[in-house]
Amino acid sequence: MLVRKIRNGTVIDHVPAGRALLVLRLLGITGKEGYTVAVVMNVESRKLGRKDIVKIENRYLDPGEADKIALIAPTATINIIRDYKVVEKRQVEAPETLTGILECINPTCITRKPREPVIPRFRRVPGERLRYQCVYCGTIIEEEEILRQLTGTQ
Ligand code: CTP
Ligand code: ZN
C-alpha cells in the first residue's frame, strides 16, 4: 500500500500509466484549491500492466467531468468513498455523442464560423480506438487531438 485509504472523496483508479497528471489538469486541480490529493504513478496492475491512481479527498465528480475522464483515461474506474467504504464503483464510458466538449479541427466547418453560433457536436466512431466524427462536416478527431484539446498538452 503506497498511499493510505481516504475517508471521503473520489478515487480514480485504473488510469493508463502516465495519465494521472492529465486527469488532475482536466479537473482543474492545481494544488491551490486546498484538496488533499494523492497521485500514484506506474504501479503494477493485473489488468493494465501499469496504472496510475488519483485520490481526491472531499471532491466528487459531476457527469461532465466523468465523460471527459473517459476520453483521456478510457480504462478508468471511478470509486466514490464515504466513511472509508467504496459506496459506488463505476467504469467510465466514452459517450456516444459529445456536445460542446471538443472543437472541430476543420477550419471551414460551420462550427468554426464566428457568425454562426453552432455548437460543435461529434458522434463516436465505432471501433477499438477512441475517435469522434463531426456531425456537420464529417471530420474525424483522433485520440491525440482529443488529449491536446482537453489538457492542452502534446
Ligand atoms: N480506496 C481508498 N480509500 C478507501 C477505499 C478504497 O483509497 N477508503 C481505493 C483503493 O486503494 C483502490 C480503489 O479505491 O485503489 C478501489 O478500492 P477497492 O474497490 O477496495 O479495490 P479493488 O477491489 O482492488 O478495486 P477494483 O476491483 O476496481 O480493481
Ligand atoms: Zn466539423
Side-chain angles (χ1 to χ4, degrees):
M1 178 69 66
L2 235 48
V3 288
R4 66 177 174 79
K5 302 231 166 219
I6 64 173
R7 181 198 284 272
N8 291 299
T10 304
V11 176
I12 307 162
D13 198 357
H14 305 293
V15 172
R19 299 261 169 107
L21 296 179
L22 296 181
V23 168
L24 283 177
R25 186 184 297 205
L26 188 81
L27 295 174
I29 293 175
T30 65
K32 291 182 180 148
E33 298 76 22
Y35 294 110
T36 300
V37 175
V39 175
V40 180
M41 290 195 264
N42 295 309
V43 291
E44 267 182 62
S45 152
R46 250 171 292 133
K47 290 183 218 162
L48 299 178
R50 300 254 152 196
K51 68 170 181 180
D52 290 356
I53 307 170
V54 176
K55 302 188 182 195
I56 314 164
E57 287 191 71
N58 301 309
R59 167 79 149 79
Y60 302 91
L61 307 183
D62 65 41
E65 288 175 327
D67 280 352
K68 287 184 192 168
I69 288 173
L71 295 177
I72 67 158
T75 52
T77 313
I78 296 175
N79 298 274
I80 310 297
I81 314 295
R82 292 197 199 273
D83 206 12
Y84 289 105
K85 287 196 196 66
V86 178
V87 295
E88 194 187 320
K89 183 187 290 284
R90 207 152 31 83
Q91 169 70 54
V92 299
E93 223 182 315
E96 283 305 311
T97 62
L98 298 176
T99 304
I101 291 179
L102 298 177
E103 268 175 28
C104 189
I105 53 172
N106 168 12
T108 65
C109 181
I110 190 166
T111 62
R112 299 276 302 268
K113 301 262 191 299
R115 264 188 251 277
E116 308 265 1
V118 178
I119 295 167
R121 262 175 86 84
F122 292 85
R123 251 192 285 281
R124 181 152 187 209
V125 179
E128 188 94 332
R129 292 170 57 99
L130 201 58
R131 298 162 88 221
Y132 281 90
Q133 183 168 37
C134 175
V135 301
Y136 296 104
C137 74
T139 298
I140 288 181
I141 310 280
E142 305 273 353
E143 194 177 358
E144 306 92 68
E145 175 62 19
I146 295 172
L147 268 177
R148 202 184 61 72
Q149 289 195 21
L150 291 179
T151 66
T153 52
Q154 287 237 342

